[in-house]
Amino acid sequence: MELLDGRLVKKEILNKLKEEVAHLDRSPGLVVVQVGEDPASNVYVGQKEKMAKELGYQYSHVKLVSDVTQEKIEEVIDGLNADETVDGIIVQMPLPKQLDTKRIQNLIRVDKDVDGLSDMNAGKLIHNEDALMPCTPKGIMDILEYYQIDVEGKNVVIVGRSDLVGKPLAAMMLNKNATVTVCHSKTVNLAHYTKQADILVAAVGKKNIITPDMVKDGAVIIDVGINRIDGKLYGDVDFEGVKDKVSYITPVPGGVGQMTVAELAKNVLKAYHNIEK
Ligand code: NAP
C-alpha cells in the first residue's frame, strides 16, 4: 500500500503558484466574507489568510455581525463584484438562518466565485465547460493525477452526494471518462457497490462506515471524511483494517483535507487570469 500524501501535493502546488505570482504585474486579490464568530469558521478563515499571505495575494477579511440582514450582505457582495482589485470572493459557510445561502452564492460574480458553488459554475462543470470548480473534489482529482492514477475506464464509487463534494466529484470523474456510481443514505446494500470500486471515495462524515469487507483487493481509497472524536481526527474508512488490502489510500489527517486550501489558491489565480484577459 502507498499513502497518497496530500501534504506533499499541496506543497508542490503552492510552490508552483508562488513562483507564478511573483511574476505578475498585480497581486491577485482574495476577499473572505464571514458572518458571526463560529469557532470552526474562524479556523478555516485563518487557513485561507495564511495561504493568501504566503503566496503574496492581496487578502482582506470582511466581518459582518451575526444578525446582519440579507440586504446588507447583498450590498457588500455587490461592492466586491464591482471592485477591480478583487479576483476571488468567498462567503464562509455556514451562514445564519436569516440569510438565503443559495441566493448569496449565486450573487457572487461567476468569474469571482472561487468556491465554485454557484449554480452557474456547477452547470458549467456538468457540461464539461471551463469553470471554477469546488475545491475539495478538485483536490481529489489533483491527488490522483499527481500519483498518475488514471481514472479513465475505472469503476469509481462515490459514497456521499453533497453539493460540496459528492456531486461535483461525480461530474469531474465523468468528464475524465470514469464509470461513476454515486451512493447515499438511501442506497440499499452499500457494500454491493463499494466492492466493485477500482477507486472508492468516502465522503459521508461517519467514522468507519467503510470496513475491510466492503473493499476490493488493490482498490484506491480516497477518504474525505473528517470526524473529530475525543479530540482526535478520523476519516470514514477503517484505515487500519483496509491498509494491507488496498493499493493506495489517503490518510486522515494528511490527505484530502490538505488539498482544499491549495485548490482555493489555484482558483484565485485562475480567476485573476480570467479577469485580466
Ligand atoms: P454532507 O453534506 O453531510 O453529506 C453526506 C453524504 O453522506 C450525504 O449525501 C448522505 O446521504 C451520505 N450518507 C449519510 N449517511 C450515509 C450512509 N449510512 N450510507 C451512505 N451514505 C450516507 O457532508 P459533506 O459536506 O459532503 O462532507 C462529507 C464528509 O467530508 C464530512 O466528514 C466532512 O467533514 C468532510 N469534508 C472534508 C473536506 C476536506 O477538506 N477534506 C471538505 C468538505 C467535507 P443523503 O444525501 O441521502 O443524506
Side-chain angles (χ1 to χ4, degrees), residues 206-208 223-237 252-253:
K206 289 189 177 153
K207 186 187 168 199
N208 288 352
D223 192 349
V224 189
I226 299 179
N227 306 294
R228 193 177 292 277
I229 298 164
D230 297 332
K232 217 178 152 222
L233 282 189
Y234 298 89
D236 287 345
V237 179
V252 178

mmCIF file of all heavy atoms in Angstrom, residues 206-208 223-237 252-253:
data_model
loop_
_atom_site.group_PDB
_atom_site.id
_atom_site.type_symbol
_atom_site.label_atom_id
_atom_site.label_comp_id
_atom_site.label_asym_id
_atom_site.label_seq_id
_atom_site.Cartn_x
_atom_site.Cartn_y
_atom_site.Cartn_z
ATOM 1 N N LYS A 206 -18.936 9.765 8.690
ATOM 2 C CA LYS A 206 -19.205 8.756 9.722
ATOM 3 C C LYS A 206 -17.983 7.857 9.842
ATOM 4 O O LYS A 206 -17.626 7.160 8.875
ATOM 5 C CB LYS A 206 -20.427 7.905 9.352
ATOM 6 C CG LYS A 206 -21.726 8.667 9.466
ATOM 7 C CD LYS A 206 -22.952 7.801 9.306
ATOM 8 C CE LYS A 206 -24.178 8.675 9.516
ATOM 9 N NZ LYS A 206 -25.365 8.209 8.813
ATOM 10 N N LYS A 207 -17.392 7.861 11.042
ATOM 11 C CA LYS A 207 -16.192 7.044 11.266
ATOM 12 C C LYS A 207 -16.462 5.567 10.945
ATOM 13 O O LYS A 207 -17.513 5.041 11.341
ATOM 14 C CB LYS A 207 -15.764 7.193 12.739
ATOM 15 C CG LYS A 207 -14.459 6.518 13.063
ATOM 16 C CD LYS A 207 -14.166 6.539 14.558
ATOM 17 C CE LYS A 207 -13.027 5.617 14.885
ATOM 18 N NZ LYS A 207 -12.954 5.237 16.281
ATOM 19 N N ASN A 208 -15.523 4.951 10.231
ATOM 20 C CA ASN A 208 -15.569 3.516 9.922
ATOM 21 C C ASN A 208 -16.805 3.055 9.162
ATOM 22 O O ASN A 208 -17.205 1.890 9.265
ATOM 23 C CB ASN A 208 -15.452 2.674 11.206
ATOM 24 C CG ASN A 208 -14.045 2.716 11.765
ATOM 25 O OD1 ASN A 208 -13.138 3.245 11.124
ATOM 26 N ND2 ASN A 208 -13.866 2.184 12.958
ATOM 27 N N ASP A 223 -10.341 8.968 1.193
ATOM 28 C CA ASP A 223 -11.140 9.176 2.411
ATOM 29 C C ASP A 223 -11.311 10.681 2.652
ATOM 30 O O ASP A 223 -10.369 11.367 3.060
ATOM 31 C CB ASP A 223 -10.412 8.516 3.595
ATOM 32 C CG ASP A 223 -11.304 8.420 4.827
ATOM 33 O OD1 ASP A 223 -12.382 9.031 4.835
ATOM 34 O OD2 ASP A 223 -10.892 7.717 5.781
ATOM 35 N N VAL A 224 -12.512 11.174 2.387
ATOM 36 C CA VAL A 224 -12.769 12.620 2.516
ATOM 37 C C VAL A 224 -13.247 12.970 3.933
ATOM 38 O O VAL A 224 -13.125 14.101 4.384
ATOM 39 C CB VAL A 224 -13.823 13.083 1.484
ATOM 40 C CG1 VAL A 224 -13.942 14.596 1.453
ATOM 41 C CG2 VAL A 224 -13.490 12.567 0.091
ATOM 42 N N GLY A 225 -13.780 11.989 4.625
ATOM 43 C CA GLY A 225 -14.417 12.229 5.928
ATOM 44 C C GLY A 225 -13.495 12.883 6.946
ATOM 45 O O GLY A 225 -12.296 12.601 6.995
ATOM 46 N N ILE A 226 -14.078 13.791 7.725
ATOM 47 C CA ILE A 226 -13.349 14.375 8.856
ATOM 48 C C ILE A 226 -14.264 14.218 10.065
ATOM 49 O O ILE A 226 -15.303 14.873 10.155
ATOM 50 C CB ILE A 226 -13.034 15.874 8.629
ATOM 51 C CG1 ILE A 226 -12.147 16.053 7.389
ATOM 52 C CG2 ILE A 226 -12.359 16.482 9.857
ATOM 53 C CD1 ILE A 226 -11.801 17.490 7.066
ATOM 54 N N ASN A 227 -13.888 13.318 10.953
ATOM 55 C CA ASN A 227 -14.701 13.069 12.140
ATOM 56 C C ASN A 227 -13.836 13.293 13.361
ATOM 57 O O ASN A 227 -12.832 12.606 13.543
ATOM 58 C CB ASN A 227 -15.213 11.617 12.116
ATOM 59 C CG ASN A 227 -15.945 11.299 10.821
ATOM 60 O OD1 ASN A 227 -17.007 11.867 10.557
ATOM 61 N ND2 ASN A 227 -15.384 10.431 9.992
ATOM 62 N N ARG A 228 -14.228 14.295 14.172
ATOM 63 C CA ARG A 228 -13.435 14.610 15.359
ATOM 64 C C ARG A 228 -14.069 13.896 16.549
ATOM 65 O O ARG A 228 -15.211 14.184 16.921
ATOM 66 C CB ARG A 228 -13.412 16.130 15.575
ATOM 67 C CG ARG A 228 -12.377 16.596 16.583
ATOM 68 C CD ARG A 228 -12.365 18.105 16.688
ATOM 69 N NE ARG A 228 -11.865 18.752 15.491
ATOM 70 C CZ ARG A 228 -10.566 18.939 15.223
ATOM 71 N NH1 ARG A 228 -9.634 18.523 16.056
ATOM 72 N NH2 ARG A 228 -10.198 19.543 14.114
ATOM 73 N N ILE A 229 -13.345 12.945 17.121
ATOM 74 C CA ILE A 229 -13.877 12.194 18.260
ATOM 75 C C ILE A 229 -12.854 12.253 19.388
ATOM 76 O O ILE A 229 -11.695 11.845 19.195
ATOM 77 C CB ILE A 229 -14.198 10.731 17.860
ATOM 78 C CG1 ILE A 229 -15.287 10.746 16.777
ATOM 79 C CG2 ILE A 229 -14.646 9.899 19.062
ATOM 80 C CD1 ILE A 229 -15.444 9.450 16.021
ATOM 81 N N ASP A 230 -13.295 12.762 20.548
ATOM 82 C CA ASP A 230 -12.401 12.936 21.710
ATOM 83 C C ASP A 230 -11.096 13.639 21.307
ATOM 84 O O ASP A 230 -9.996 13.204 21.690
ATOM 85 C CB ASP A 230 -12.075 11.582 22.373
ATOM 86 C CG ASP A 230 -13.328 10.924 22.919
ATOM 87 O OD1 ASP A 230 -14.268 11.666 23.275
ATOM 88 O OD2 ASP A 230 -13.376 9.676 22.959
ATOM 89 N N GLY A 231 -11.228 14.681 20.504
ATOM 90 C CA GLY A 231 -10.067 15.487 20.138
ATOM 91 C C GLY A 231 -9.180 14.876 19.071
ATOM 92 O O GLY A 231 -8.167 15.454 18.710
ATOM 93 N N LYS A 232 -9.548 13.683 18.554
ATOM 94 C CA LYS A 232 -8.732 13.040 17.528
ATOM 95 C C LYS A 232 -9.483 13.019 16.191
ATOM 96 O O LYS A 232 -10.722 12.933 16.192
ATOM 97 C CB LYS A 232 -8.429 11.599 17.974
ATOM 98 C CG LYS A 232 -7.042 11.175 17.596
ATOM 99 C CD LYS A 232 -6.649 9.789 18.049
ATOM 100 C CE LYS A 232 -5.608 9.301 17.051
ATOM 101 N NZ LYS A 232 -5.737 7.955 16.639
ATOM 102 N N LEU A 233 -8.735 13.092 15.094
ATOM 103 C CA LEU A 233 -9.380 13.101 13.777
ATOM 104 C C LEU A 233 -9.415 11.700 13.174
ATOM 105 O O LEU A 233 -8.417 10.985 13.183
ATOM 106 C CB LEU A 233 -8.603 13.999 12.807
ATOM 107 C CG LEU A 233 -8.770 15.507 12.911
ATOM 108 C CD1 LEU A 233 -8.095 16.178 11.725
ATOM 109 C CD2 LEU A 233 -10.235 15.909 12.971
ATOM 110 N N TYR A 234 -10.573 11.355 12.621
ATOM 111 C CA TYR A 234 -10.729 10.080 11.920
ATOM 112 C C TYR A 234 -11.398 10.342 10.573
ATOM 113 O O TYR A 234 -12.169 11.289 10.428
ATOM 114 C CB TYR A 234 -11.628 9.120 12.711
ATOM 115 C CG TYR A 234 -11.097 8.753 14.068
ATOM 116 C CD1 TYR A 234 -11.413 9.525 15.183
ATOM 117 C CD2 TYR A 234 -10.294 7.630 14.238
ATOM 118 C CE1 TYR A 234 -10.925 9.201 16.439
ATOM 119 C CE2 TYR A 234 -9.802 7.299 15.499
ATOM 120 C CZ TYR A 234 -10.120 8.075 16.590
ATOM 121 O OH TYR A 234 -9.634 7.756 17.831
ATOM 122 N N GLY A 235 -11.119 9.465 9.615
ATOM 123 C CA GLY A 235 -11.829 9.536 8.343
ATOM 124 C C GLY A 235 -13.088 8.694 8.392
ATOM 125 O O GLY A 235 -13.584 8.340 9.475
ATOM 126 N N ASP A 236 -13.595 8.355 7.209
ATOM 127 C CA ASP A 236 -14.782 7.496 7.104
ATOM 128 C C ASP A 236 -14.397 6.032 6.918
ATOM 129 O O ASP A 236 -15.248 5.151 6.940
ATOM 130 C CB ASP A 236 -15.618 7.914 5.879
ATOM 131 C CG ASP A 236 -16.353 9.229 6.098
ATOM 132 O OD1 ASP A 236 -16.453 9.677 7.252
ATOM 133 O OD2 ASP A 236 -16.837 9.799 5.102
ATOM 134 N N VAL A 237 -13.096 5.795 6.682
ATOM 135 C CA VAL A 237 -12.639 4.446 6.334
ATOM 136 C C VAL A 237 -11.873 3.849 7.513
ATOM 137 O O VAL A 237 -11.102 4.552 8.177
ATOM 138 C CB VAL A 237 -11.712 4.519 5.086
ATOM 139 C CG1 VAL A 237 -11.194 3.146 4.712
ATOM 140 C CG2 VAL A 237 -12.446 5.161 3.906
ATOM 141 N N VAL A 252 -6.045 10.235 7.023
ATOM 142 C CA VAL A 252 -6.742 11.342 7.702
ATOM 143 C C VAL A 252 -6.121 11.472 9.083
ATOM 144 O O VAL A 252 -6.159 10.505 9.850
ATOM 145 C CB VAL A 252 -8.247 11.059 7.839
ATOM 146 C CG1 VAL A 252 -8.931 12.209 8.587
ATOM 147 C CG2 VAL A 252 -8.893 10.858 6.477
ATOM 148 N N PRO A 253 -5.506 12.590 9.426
ATOM 149 C CA PRO A 253 -5.279 13.773 8.575
ATOM 150 C C PRO A 253 -4.111 13.548 7.611
ATOM 151 O O PRO A 253 -3.448 12.507 7.652
ATOM 152 C CB PRO A 253 -4.930 14.848 9.614
ATOM 153 C CG PRO A 253 -4.312 14.103 10.755
ATOM 154 C CD PRO A 253 -4.979 12.757 10.789
#
